[in-house]
Amino acid sequence: MVNHDHVEIIDHLPVLLKEIVQALALEVGNTVVDATAGRGGHAQAIAKVIGSQGTLVLLDRDQHNLAFASERIRSLPDAPRVVTAHANFCNVADVLRGESLRADAFMADLGFSSNQMSDPARGFSFANAGPLDMRLDQSTGESAHALLARVTESELADLIFQLGEDPFSRRIARRIIYVRDLGLLNSTADLAKAVVSAYGGKARQSRMHPATRTFMALRIAVNNELDSLETLLQVFQQEIAGFWPLPRADPGSRVTSGLGKKNALDEVAGLAAASASPSQWLDKNARIAILAFHSLEDRLIKRAFTSWERQGWATRLARKPLVASEAECEANPRARSAKLREVRIVGI
Ligand SMILES: C[S@@+](CC[C@H](N)C(=O)[O-])C[C@H]1O[C@@H](n2cnc3c(N)ncnc32)[C@H](O)[C@@H]1O
């Protein structure tokens, strides 16, 4: 529960708020999933539309954010019924089935919230000295420190190159492993220092802090963020395919990040239409909106939505993703990399 003895600040501006609410085409009484509740900014706007006859299902891997968001919604006048789950969003089907709910609309706002980034104890930021943690869910999983303790130099270089798209990945990895093997890699400050020294004189030419991409890559890896998204899209695909009596093979329907990790759900996706799902958790005309901040995430979403459209299972509202206006980017620099994609399911 949120501690009411101190006043907690929201410390996060929701990105593309109006656009997401509009894409979800909400109606009074709807059942809506906010799969990344965060600080409840999007959830609050949704709650105001669906009202006390509606149900808002909030998921988050971060227990603290989840509690904060649910308190924020429950304290609204005319608050909807709130169902919370401290869970990875790839478990959304189980959460909804467990509550005998069927979602009219679903949204996810990927990544991290500003309060997580600015809390030194979470270890997400090179700007704040703290432990090398970086887990969104601090109750489970491997920390960045543990990951860095076990990777080889070439694995780390690949990770920084693929997830961080940093052209200096090889020399950064070499430096980090050198510092680690000396026993001097124990905090976010140590990691940031290692990356800056790998950049050498090039650090001055870099527009962003040299450690930005390395920290992003490690956060994505620690939390298996691409795997979670890939699995979520497969879970949707399995449900949506079940809305159609005759399965059609589509070679483009396999959703993959291309990072070499095999997803067990890939194997069942093609068979989904043939096997009746245990119980329907998604409305046949559900609206789905996903906000991504990384090109690899956006690519996965685009591929999945395009494939569903090609199969006649869904319509995309636009071919290109929605991006934030210059005014929103000025007010909230985090909005700069945001890409919103929306789709409407057209089940029969
Ligand atoms: C960008 S913030 C969401 C902010 C929220 N829309 C708001 O307006 O306050 C992302 C949130 O999603 C959570 N998160 C990230 N990946 C997740 C996943 N796979 N499953 C559930 N929650 C996740 C993070 O812990 C964080 O709280």
Side-chain angles (χ1 to χ4, degrees), residues 134-167:
M134 298 197 192
R135 288 170 302 163
L136 291 168
D137 179 354
Q138 289 187 298
S139 69
T140 183
E142 183 180 53
S143 68
H145 191 261
L147 184 147
L148 286 167
R150 72 167 166 79
V151 285
T152 63
E153 184 182 316
S154 91
E155 285 168 345
L156 183 59
D158 289 348
L159 189 156
I160 296 170
F161 185 71
Q162 291 179 335
L163 302 179
E165 295 168 341
D166 195 313

Side-chain angles (χ1 to χ4, degrees), residues 10 12-15 17 20 34-44 59-63 65-66 69 72 85-90 107-116 122 124 136-137 223-225 228-229 291 293 334:
I10 294 169
H12 181 84
L13 286 175
V15 175
L17 181 65
I20 288 187
D34 180 348
T36 51
R39 305 302 274 175
H42 290 101
Q44 174 170 284
L59 273 66
D60 206 295
R61 291 175 84 175
D62 180 329
Q63 214 151 11
N65 267 359
L66 182 66
R72 188 172 171 195
H86 176 222
N88 189 317
F89 52 50
C90 54
M107 70 152 288
D109 171 14
L110 304 177
F112 56 89
S113 52
S114 306
N115 64 300
Q116 290 171 325
R122 304 298 298 265
F124 288 116
L136 291 168
D137 179 354
N223 295 293
N224 291 315
E225 292 181 29
S228 294
L229 177 60
L291 189 55
F293 294 85
R334 197 179 128 71

Side-chain angles (χ1 to χ4, degrees), residues 57-330:
V57 183
L58 301 177
L59 273 66
D60 206 295
R61 291 175 84 175
D62 180 329
Q63 214 151 11
H64 186 72
N65 267 359
L66 182 66
F68 184 92
S70 78
E71 282 287 298
R72 188 172 171 195
I73 304 310
R74 287 193 169 109
S75 64
L76 291 173
D78 292 324
R81 176 184 169 218
V82 178
V83 173
T84 59
H86 176 222
N88 189 317
F89 52 50
C90 54
N91 297 311
V92 64
D94 293 340
V95 171
L96 289 177
R97 284 197 185 112
E99 297 285 335
S100 304
L101 289 171
R102 185 173 293 177
D104 297 299
F106 171 100
M107 70 152 288
D109 171 14
L110 304 177
F112 56 89
S113 52
S114 306
N115 64 300
Q116 290 171 325
M117 180 57 79
S118 57
D119 179 355
R122 304 298 298 265
F124 288 116
S125 169
F126 50 81
N128 306 306
L132 280 167
D133 189 330
M134 298 197 192
R135 288 170 302 163
L136 291 168
D137 179 354
Q138 289 187 298
S139 69
T140 183
E142 183 180 53
S143 68
H145 191 261
L147 184 147
L148 286 167
R150 72 167 166 79
V151 285
T152 63
E153 184 182 316
S154 91
E155 285 168 345
L156 183 59
D158 289 348
L159 189 156
I160 296 170
F161 185 71
Q162 291 179 335
L163 302 179
E165 295 168 341
D166 195 313
F168 300 122
S169 56
R170 303 250 154 246
R171 65 162 94 157
I172 294 170
R174 198 175 317 129
R175 185 72 199 171
I176 292 174
I177 297 298
Y178 174 76
V179 173
R180 177 196 73 183
D181 291 346
L182 290 175
L184 298 174
L185 189 66
N186 299 308
S187 69
T188 53
D190 295 340
L191 179 62
K193 213 165 101 190
V195 180
V196 170
S197 83
Y199 259 71
K202 301 237 184 285
R204 279 191 297 278
Q205 293 157 24
S206 173
R207 267 191 307 124
M208 56 175 84
H209 188 287
T212 308
R213 292 189 170 115
T214 298
F215 271 70
M216 176 175 72
L218 281 167
R219 190 206 82 227
I220 293 173
V222 162
N223 295 293
N224 291 315
E225 292 181 29
L226 293 175
D227 285 350
S228 294
L229 177 60
E230 205 172 316
T231 306
L232 172 73
L233 293 166
Q234 296 288 2
V235 167
F236 269 120
Q237 183 162 307
Q238 197 168 17
E239 177 77 349
I240 297 164
F243 297 160
W244 293 82
L246 292 172
R248 263 178 287 162
D250 173 12
S253 68
R254 189 172 173 277
V255 181
T256 168
S257 62
L259 288 172
K261 284 218 171 186
K262 183 125 186 70
N263 185 325
L265 275 161
D266 285 353
E267 285 157 22
V268 292
L271 301 172
S275 62
S277 61
S279 70
Q280 193 187 327
W281 59 272
L282 189 69
D283 188 81
K284 288 185 175 177
N285 298 111
R287 289 83 63 191
I288 300 168
I290 308 184
L291 189 55
F293 294 85
H294 190 291
S295 58
L296 291 175
E297 289 171 343
D298 182 57
R299 196 184 305 164
L300 282 176
I301 300 160
K302 181 184 170 186
R303 268 196 219 160
F305 287 9
T306 311
S307 154
W308 302 346
E309 189 174 55
R310 211 182 311 127
Q311 307 205 55
W313 294 346
T315 48
R316 282 183 296 161
L317 299 190
R319 284 185 174 275
K320 294 218 176 289
L322 266 178
V323 294
S325 65
E326 201 40 52
E328 177 168 2
C329 296
E330 286 277 311

